Amino acid sequence: MEIQLEQQQESWSETSSTGSRSTRVGFSGPMSGPLVTPNNKKSSKKSARFKDQEEEDFVEITLDVRDDTVSVQNIRGGDPETALLASRLEKRPSSLSVRLRQVSQELKRMTSSKKFDRVDRTKSGAARALKGLKFMTKNVGTEGWSQVEKRFHELAVEGKLPKTRFSQCIGMNESKEFAGELFDALSRRRGITSASITKDQLREFWEQITDQSFDSRLQTFFDMVDKDADGRITQEEVQEIIALSASANKLSKIQDRAEEYAALIIEELDPDNLGYIEIYNLEMLLLQAPAQSTNITTDSRIMSQMLSQKLVPTKDYNPIKRGFRSLAYFVEDNWKRIWVILLWLSICAALFTWKFIQYKHRAVFDVMGYCVTSAKGAAETLKFNMALILLPVCRNTITWLRSKTKLGMAVPFDDNINFHKVIAFGIAIGVGIHAIAHLTCDFPRLLHATDEEYEPMKPFFGEDRPNNYWWFVKGTEGWTGIAIVVLMAIAYTLAQPWFRRNRLNLPKPLKRLTGFNAFWYSHHLFVIVYGLFIVHGYYLYLSKEWYKKTTWMYLAIPMILYACERLLRAFRSGYKSVKILKVAVYPGNVLALHMSKPQGFKYSSGQYIFVNCPDVSPFQWHPFSITSAPGDDYVSVHIRTLGDWTSQLKAVFAKACQPASSDQSGLLRADMLQGNNIPRMPKLVIDGPYGAPAQDYKNYEVILLVGLGIGATPLISILKDVLNNMKQQKDIEEGMVESGVKNNKRKPFATNRAYFYWVTREQGSFEWFKGVMDDVAEYDKDGIIELHNYCTSVYEEGDARSALITMLQSLHHAKSGVDIVSGTRVKTHFARPNWRSVFKHTALKHPGKRVGKY
């Protein structure tokens, strides 16, 4: 055992106290060999602070020597027992060498008994952590010094860069507070007291924060926390840096509980209640804590296959082959959409061509020319599209076709709304061609035709030739056509995302005319439009026989089908008035409603229902995914308030809610089952259920569920269904429940593995489905369901701005089993998933199996 006394430049300290000389001496060295004196200069080449750590383990003890008294000022390395032994140096006034020898022997004994364990940086977790704690990541400061220097000249004031512009200069615009603390730490290290720095000082700052050495990065981070630069971190300083990190990562709940989490870190790293921690404690926490990784964990066999395939797509430098492969992938993914669109375009083209040729051989062609052929060709496609556009919104019919027939194998029923929009675009083109051709070409030509040219037109326009343009406009054909164009233009404009979602910054009077309400009411102008369309198609200038007036023929069957659909919805909604069981208002403007299940109401996970609240609007129906499972005795939906109707709905239900208690999630809650004195709940009516893309998940052995924000709602229902099926199978195996005839009638449940990836921007979002996450963690002992939560507001692993959050997360989860970010038992990943790794991992882990992705 050996303790070397070295006199380092920064370890000496001379102070005047009661006329005595005080000298602070650092003692450090390898724990073997004889004791040496301070005069041994050879030993001064060794240092315990960040040098030669790969060769030997060191303990550094800083002593304050005053005449014949010695006090321990600092201990670097070792464990709590080391600190206890070192404290013996200051117990009795014997000679310094004797006391050093005693401690040396004790430390040697500890080493031989392997009680003194330094952090092993060769372990996988430590090796991964060594790559972290970076102040300059790939998203920050990637340009290099030249760009930083350029920004310095742009931002400097009188040759100096103010602290307020430091974040912008180094490329850390999103974390100005964090950059400000970094500025202060770097300034304290160099003794800079000014609030601005020169370019040379900025260069020194830049070199330190971009230093690839882990020890350098650790020292910088330590300096940020150690605001009084005394080499020790107190609980108050830890609390401040936790609040700062939480603010930089938009984790408000962690920020509110910073004091509690600071106490947790101090409790973990300061078992002797010294009241502070030092840099080696911070290093130990970084390197020994369970590594937080956004990569997918897998076994060695899978990892070997992933490495062999490198997870990097092979680049083909031949542009023809590359384009052909991309086209093949596109066709494979979209072949259903492709053949439907091609069929639709073919029918439109055929109808246009048929009518175009027909009118080219009529006498009217000699007067109006290609204008009339174009107008009539466009009119024929309009008839077809006005009939076809009703079919994609016949929800009951589509649900029946999807679930009861095999047509879903070739027809993309899930794209019904997108196809509705495509047809609407085709209608807009047809209306444009038809109206422009008539108004700007046909009618002027007829007005300027000679008597000889007008002679064949007398059977259609009368013996007396129209004398002005107003003659055409005031006729039934004219005013009905103009009214159709105006109403269609209003509905089409307000249906655009900019107006429907209030994205445009309009004056307040005009803003009231936009939003979902405006979209909904304007879309229901279609009733008037179809009436005018039939009238317009009956009073034709150039067709007098009834069998040639084919508009009603096109529209008859689709209109009857759609009318039956609406009658069925009205009839069903009349007796599907539900009782509200529970209401919860969550962070992120999310309203959760638990309703009683109407008699005979059956649904599958992944389906959706339409909700109507007469207290908000007696006419409006809005679709929401069902978040409860078919086996639950209630129906639940989670509604995010994004528009005017949902905002009013939330306001109506919030009046009946009370602040949530400490053991409940959410901001406001009302539970009718608890028998509390709750005000009258608004009436709610539902219609459905209707089919959705995710309802056929039971056909797959492995399912991969990916949800973004509130878009995870249908997937939560699937998760709960898989969990309920898991419980049911377990009860059957244990003999608690018999598998009866009723269960045998159910469709076989093929799913035996589920992966759920939920990506959200806000920490509060995890409260929406906290109960489901905890249930899965509690009941899924066999690991059938694998949950992955991602919070994108937190900086990626390895970023210094999230380093303390990662440490705290590992500590808290190890101690209580609860994640500090989500508040559930599921540990949260940071930043965005690597989707290629996710898909590759799933494919390699389940070779030869069909994986359903939703």
Side-chain angles (χ1 to χ4, degrees), residues 542-766:
L542 301 177
S543 297
K544 301 301 181 181
E545 298 85 355
W546 70 269
Y547 56 87
K548 291 185 179 181
K549 301 175 180 181
T550 57
T551 302
W552 66 272
M553 300 179 187
Y554 277 98
L555 300 180
I557 294 178
M559 289 185 67
I560 292 173
L561 180 62
Y562 185 77
C564 293
E565 283 263 343
R566 296 303 294 256
L567 289 173
L568 179 60
R569 290 185 216 170
F571 176 73
R572 287 197 309 189
S573 63
Y575 69 87
K576 283 190 179 179
S577 178
V578 295
K579 179 182 178 181
I580 303 298
L581 303 178
K582 187 169 67 174
V583 180
V585 179
Y586 291 108
N589 289 324
V590 170
L591 173 69
L593 298 175
H594 288 232
M595 303 162 279
S596 61
K597 186 183 292 186
Q599 185 177 4
F601 186 81
K602 297 180 180 179
Y603 64 93
S604 300
S605 292
Q607 291 188 316
Y608 65 95
I609 58 175
F610 275 79
V611 176
N612 170 265
C613 182
D615 288 4
V616 177
S617 172
F619 305 109
Q620 294 190 43
W621 293 81
H622 295 260
F624 299 102
S625 297
I626 302 173
T627 54
S628 54
D632 294 334
D633 56 357
Y634 61 90
V635 180
S636 66
V637 291
H638 285 67
I639 302 170
R640 186 159 195 177
T641 56
L642 295 175
D644 37 22
W645 187 87
T646 50
S647 297
Q648 294 174 38
L649 184 72
K650 175 188 171 184
V652 167
F653 277 97
K655 294 178 182 178
C657 295
Q658 300 173 352
S661 59
S662 58
D663 60 338
Q664 294 177 322
S665 61
L667 304 175
L668 300 171
R669 295 179 71 91
D671 198 334
M672 299 295 291
L673 298 179
Q674 294 180 356
N676 298 332
N677 186 18
I678 300 175
R680 184 190 69 86
M681 285 288 181
K683 181 182 177 182
L684 212 62
V685 182
I686 64 173
D687 175 39
Y690 294 104
Q695 71 179 65
D696 61 344
Y697 65 94
K698 294 181 181 180
N699 299 332
Y700 298 94
E701 296 179 67
V702 182
I703 55 176
L704 178 63
L705 310 175
V706 178
L708 305 178
I710 197 65
T713 47
L715 310 181
I716 292 297
S717 178
I718 295 175
L719 272 185
K720 294 176 72 174
D721 196 28
V722 173
L723 183 63
N724 290 344
N725 182 74
M726 186 194 313
K727 294 178 183 178
Q728 184 180 358
Q729 293 297 327
K730 187 176 181 179
D731 291 342
I732 293 175
E733 292 173 2
E734 294 177 354
M736 298 176 62
V737 177
E738 294 185 3
S739 180
V741 178
K742 182 178 180 181
N743 290 333
N744 290 335
K745 290 182 179 180
R746 291 184 61 186
K747 192 175 182 179
F749 207 102
T751 305
N752 53 37
R753 196 76 164 92
Y755 298 90
F756 177 59
Y757 290 84
W758 186 22
V759 184
T760 183
R761 291 180 295 181
E762 302 170 354
Q763 182 188 10
S765 303
F766 294 112

Side-chain angles (χ1 to χ4, degrees), residues 44 78 88 96 99 106 141 168 194 252 268 289 323 421 426 586 738 750 779 802 814 841 847 854:
S44 63
R88 296 179 183 177
L96 176 62
R99 277 175 280 172
E106 292 292 337
Q168 185 178 354
S194 173
S252 57
E268 179 72 19
K421 295 176 182 178
Y586 291 108
E738 294 185 3
Y779 291 103
S802 62
H841 166 265
Y854 300 99

Side-chain angles (χ1 to χ4, degrees), residues 115 208 356 480 659 675:
K115 290 184 178 180
Q208 181 170 344
F356 186 94
T480 54

Side-chain angles (χ1 to χ4, degrees), residues 348-421:
C348 290
L351 290 174
F352 184 92
T353 304
W354 169 55
K355 218 62 177 175
F356 186 94
I357 295 174
Q358 186 183 80
Y359 272 83
K360 189 177 180 181
H361 294 88
R362 292 183 62 174
V364 70
F365 179 76
D366 297 331
V367 179
M368 301 181 181
Y370 286 102
C371 297
V372 70
T373 56
S374 300
K376 290 301 180 179
E380 202 66 22
T381 63
L382 264 176
K383 299 174 189 177
F384 170 69
N385 285 328
M386 287 291 286
L388 186 63
I389 199 170
L390 293 174
L391 300 182
V393 291
C394 292
R395 295 190 291 266
N396 290 289
T397 304
I398 289 178
T399 300
W400 184 84
L401 290 173
R402 178 196 283 111
S403 57
K404 301 297 183 181
T405 69
K406 299 294 184 181
L407 288 176
M409 299 177 63
V411 180
F413 290 116
D414 301 329
D415 289 322
N416 60 320
I417 298 301
N418 291 329
F419 189 48
H420 177 82
K421 295 176 182 178

Side-chain angles (χ1 to χ4, degrees), residues 316-351:
D316 196 330
Y317 294 98
N318 188 326
I320 298 177
K321 291 183 178 180
R322 190 166 61 246
F324 180 78
R325 184 168 59 247
S326 299
L327 179 62
Y329 287 150
F330 177 80
V331 172
E332 184 179 359
D333 291 339
N334 300 280
W335 67 270
K336 291 182 182 180
R337 301 182 181 95
I338 291 173
W339 84 261
V340 169
I341 293 297
L342 289 178
L343 177 63
W344 173 69
L345 290 174
S346 300
I347 294 174
C348 290
L351 290 174

Side-chain angles (χ1 to χ4, degrees), residues 184-204:
D184 292 339
L186 297 170
S187 298
R188 281 195 300 269
R189 169 65 63 173
R190 291 162 178 78
I192 300 174
T193 58
S194 173
S196 57
I197 54 176
T198 64
K199 186 170 74 172
D200 292 338
Q201 290 170 333
L202 176 64
R203 181 64 183 264
E204 291 182 22

Side-chain angles (χ1 to χ4, degrees), residues 53-54 118-130 287:
Q53 291 188 2
E54 294 78 6
R118 296 272 305 166
V119 178
D120 185 0
R121 292 190 174 189
T122 62
K123 293 181 180 179
S124 60
R128 184 159 55 240
L130 286 171
L287 301 186

